[in-house]
Amino acid sequence: MIRILFLLILVFLAAAGLHWLADRPGNVTVEWQGYIAETSVFRAIVLLALAATAAVLVYGLLRQIWRSPAIVGRMLRRQREQRGLDALSSGIIAVGAGDQALALRYAGQARKALPNEPLTHLLRAQAAQITGDRATARRIFEAMLGAPDTEQLGLRGLFLEAEREGDQEAARQFAERALAVNPRLGWPLEAIFDLQCRAEQWQGALDTLALAQRHHLIDKTVANRRRAVLLTAQAQMAEESAADSALDLALEAHRLAPDLVPAAAIAGRVLAARGSTPKAARVLLKTWRLSPHPELAVAYAYARPGDSPRDRLTRVRHLGRLTPNDSEALIAIAIAAIEAREYEEARKVLEPMLKDRLTQRVCTLMARIEGEQHGDAGRVREWLARAVNAARDPAWTADGMVSDHWAATSPVTGALDAFQWRVPVEAIDQPAASLAAKVEALVGLGAGPEPALERARPAARLPAATAEVATPEPGVPETAIEPIVPPAARPSPPPAPPPITEDVTPGPAAEPAKENTSRQEPGTEPRDPAPPARERNRPTDAVARSVEQKEWPRASPEPRIFVPPRAPDDPGPEASEDEFSGAGFPASGAKA
């Protein structure tokens, strides 16, 4: 609209000028070389305008003729660029769709049309990758390193190729070079961090994480969680050799991630070994409220050295009051009650779990109660049989792998913070096993979150040599009893030996059994062979005693607490209420 208005104004001004000249007539005379030309002013101006227009047209025509080769070349170049862009677009679509033949064809067209375009190199490399030509892909990425604008792209491609081939050292070098080229790139930092975690280079991973935080390449919440896991891994390695360093690392990890169970457990154990019972209780209780775990219950129960089993039961009851509906709290109270020989309380605590939340640990705890309280071998076998088909208990699980202990990285992928405390998922295509085979598998797992379950074994699988378990003598400390743990793998039981008669003489130890060669008189009733001295007052049979294995504290890692030997009824050292004030820790001898 503006252009039309401007054109109308120009036409109006031209008409006005011509009208002004027409109203003012005059003559123009030109004399040159004896020639005289005379005309009017109006005609002279019109002729001059026409001559100027003709001159402009002739100049433009000559200029177009002079520049025609460049114009033709530019036109051809534009057509070639358009064909190249179309080939790039179609080739990238073909790569995304996985069409190998089409991707190769478009990559060739793009190379002919746009040989120096960075996107052409990328398309050729991706086409080579989807066709499996790794050598060509690496060669193209290496060629990209020569140009500053494609160097980062080439390093990224070479890094991915090294990752696919499993060359961790080459992948690390490419990532470090890309980080040196551009420190604000996110993928080199993430790649270096993952490689350091897989190699368990915890300090290097902490430095890389700090660099990512400095450049704002990672969220603060994620960074704090990762830092806590790395610090916990360092504390786990230093717990036995450098307790002071392990404590500092575990407390910092606990501050960053209060729900991280291993950090709280390490801090609680080290603090308890130092005698800082109230501080250990505060750390353990804070994490227990967020993530109840058997390891926390063990550390909390043994946070005060020298306590009796009843004192430990009193403290574990406090955990039950904090999380009354949690299964881990109920199981912890039941285990402490069994250790304190409060079997009725253990039954009462486990009763709500027998219907809806029956798990393998609950079944084995019930078997242990039946064996220790009543010596009922039939009930023990019944509960062990129910344990085979009961639901599994939570365990440390990462990428389908189940571990007895927490680890900072996954054993499968090497990912950080992959282990979670949850119920393992069983394979649906796993064939069903017999009762004995399942119990044997449970026993072979070794010490872990459910020691009683993993050590339980049916009587039919126990050889006679391991069926004897020493009965505690009066006055002997409870911690001095060494239970006989059956081996993880055991051959089939030997055939039953012929009946023998054992002569037992009173004394500290029974003599070896001697075969009775005397013949019985006819008509008399055969006598049963006399049982060994160690089996006369035995509370239960081999299965019941195998369930009686100590599962408190855990076998590994053991708390760094040394309990002095004493009688079972010894109440332990006295402690005032003020010692545990503010920590939620009952005093010694306190009752719930």
Side-chain angles (χ1 to χ4, degrees):
M1 184 65 184
I2 295 177
R3 292 181 179 180
I4 295 175
L5 182 61
F6 184 72
L7 181 60
L8 292 175
I9 292 173
L10 289 179
V11 172
F12 175 77
L13 292 176
L18 293 175
H19 183 268
W20 183 81
L21 289 175
D23 290 343
R24 289 167 177 77
N27 295 324
V28 175
T29 303
V30 177
E31 183 178 357
W32 184 67
Q33 294 290 328
Y35 295 95
I36 298 175
E38 183 177 356
T39 183
S40 63
V41 175
F42 179 78
R43 183 180 298 174
I45 292 175
V46 171
L47 292 176
L48 182 61
L50 292 176
T53 302
V56 170
L57 292 176
V58 171
Y59 173 77
L61 179 61
L62 295 176
R63 186 170 178 269
Q64 289 293 332
I65 295 173
W66 179 264
R67 298 181 57 186
S68 58
I71 294 174
V72 173
R74 186 164 54 249
M75 182 180 62
L76 296 177
R77 185 169 60 253
R78 288 178 180 176
Q79 293 179 356
R80 186 170 60 252
E81 289 177 355
Q82 186 62 40
R83 288 196 305 269
L85 292 176
D86 294 340
L88 286 174
S89 177
S90 302
I92 292 175
I93 294 174
V95 169
D99 192 340
Q100 302 178 8
L102 200 61
L104 288 176
R105 190 181 73 181
Y106 284 126
Q109 293 179 3
R111 184 183 182 183
K112 293 179 181 179
L114 302 173
N116 299 321
E117 183 68 26
L119 285 179
T120 301
H121 302 319
L122 179 61
L123 176 59
R124 291 178 57 208
Q126 290 183 343
Q129 286 177 338
I130 66 173
T131 56
D133 191 357
R134 302 294 182 189
T136 301
R138 284 196 303 271
R139 186 173 65 253
I140 295 173
F141 286 130
E142 289 172 356
M144 293 183 185
L145 301 180
D149 55 343
T150 59
E151 183 178 7
Q152 298 180 24
L153 180 59
L155 290 172
R156 171 71 168 171
L158 292 174
F159 167 79
L160 294 177
E161 287 297 319
E163 281 278 295
R164 291 189 182 97
E165 295 179 359
D167 192 348
Q168 302 297 329
E169 184 60 30
R172 180 194 293 272
Q173 293 179 5
F174 290 131
E176 290 176 351
R177 181 174 173 182
L179 189 62
V181 173
N182 187 359
R184 295 185 177 277
L185 278 178
W187 71 264
L189 285 173
E190 192 71 22
I192 294 174
F193 181 80
D194 291 340
L195 292 173
Q196 289 171 339
C197 290
R198 294 177 191 174
E200 297 185 357
Q201 299 175 357
W202 309 128
Q203 188 57 47
L206 286 171
D207 297 339
T208 304
L209 183 62
L211 182 61
Q213 284 186 280
R214 191 180 309 122
H215 291 293
H216 305 285
L217 298 176
I218 187 173
D219 186 69
K220 184 178 180 180
T221 304
V222 178
N224 289 340
R225 178 69 183 187
R226 290 184 176 181
R227 181 174 179 81
V229 174
L230 293 173
L231 292 173
T232 304
Q234 288 184 320
Q236 193 177 50
M237 296 177 61
E239 184 179 2
E240 298 295 333
S241 58
D244 296 340
S245 176
L247 178 60
D248 296 337
L249 295 170
L251 288 178
E252 184 180 355
H254 177 71
R255 179 182 60 82
L256 294 173
D259 61 336
L260 190 57
V261 172
I266 294 173
R269 288 194 295 266
V270 178
L271 288 172
R274 288 183 168 188
S276 302
T277 306
K279 188 173 182 180
R282 285 194 295 269
V283 172
L284 294 170
L285 289 177
K286 184 177 181 181
T287 304
W288 176 270
R289 292 186 180 95
L290 299 174
S291 301
H293 192 273
E295 193 172 356
L296 299 176
V298 172
Y300 186 75
Y302 284 84
R304 182 167 50 195
D307 281 355
S308 65
R310 292 184 181 274
D311 293 333
R312 295 197 295 268
L313 174 59
T314 302
R315 292 196 296 275
V316 176
R317 287 172 183 157
H318 182 62
L319 297 179
R321 288 192 293 270
L322 293 177
T323 54
N325 298 322
D326 190 81
S327 300
E328 296 296 343
L330 299 178
I331 293 176
I333 296 174
I335 296 174
I338 294 174
E339 295 295 326
R341 301 184 185 278
E342 297 288 344
Y343 300 111
E344 294 302 328
E345 180 177 355
R347 290 178 183 273
K348 183 179 179 181
V349 170
L350 294 177
E351 184 178 358
M353 305 180 64
L354 299 181
K355 295 182 179 179
D356 300 332
R357 292 183 287 176
L358 185 64
T359 62
Q360 295 172 345
R361 268 195 299 174
V362 175
C363 292
T364 51
L365 286 176
M366 290 299 300
R368 182 177 174 184
I369 293 172
E370 295 291 346
E372 294 187 14
Q373 185 180 14
H374 302 300
D376 190 345
R379 294 289 294 173
V380 171
R381 293 189 182 94
E382 178 184 350
W383 280 111
L384 289 180
R386 295 180 66 180
V388 174
N389 296 319
R392 298 186 66 176
D393 292 279
W396 289 117
T397 306
D399 298 324
M401 300 292 293
V402 179
S403 175
D404 295 336
H405 310 289
W406 177 88
T409 57
S410 168
V412 180
T413 62
L416 186 70
D417 196 20
F419 275 98
Q420 297 181 3
W421 182 256
R422 61 184 180 184
V423 177
V425 180
E426 296 185 359
I428 60 176
D429 57 347
Q430 183 177 2
S434 62
L435 174 63
K438 289 185 178 180
V439 174
E440 186 74 20
L442 294 175
V443 175
L445 292 177
E450 50 256 344
L453 170 63
E454 295 165 359
R455 299 174 184 173
R457 188 185 298 267
R461 303 289 292 180
L462 288 175
T466 61
E468 297 181 3
V469 179
T471 305
E473 297 292 336
V476 179
E478 182 182 353
T479 56
I481 300 175
E482 293 291 340
I484 300 177
V485 182
R490 187 176 300 279
S492 58
I500 60 174
T501 304
E502 297 178 348
D503 297 330
V504 179
T505 59
E511 294 181 1
K514 299 179 181 179
E515 183 179 359
N516 188 0
T517 58
S518 61
R519 300 177 59 184
Q520 279 189 321
E521 297 181 6
T524 60
E525 200 169 327
R527 294 179 299 172
D528 294 330
R534 298 176 64 185
E535 294 190 16
R536 287 182 176 178
N537 299 324
R538 198 171 47 165
T540 182
D541 66 349
V543 178
R545 297 306 298 169
S546 67
V547 179
E548 195 184 358
Q549 310 305 322
K550 303 299 179 185
E551 65 169 330
W552 192 291
R554 290 177 57 185
S556 176
E558 297 180 357
R560 297 173 57 84
I561 300 171
F562 303 92
V563 183
R566 48 178 169 73
D569 297 333
D570 185 4
E574 296 293 334
S576 61
E577 292 287 344
D578 297 335
E579 181 182 358
F580 307 104
S581 60
F585 210 106
S588 176
K591 295 183 179 180

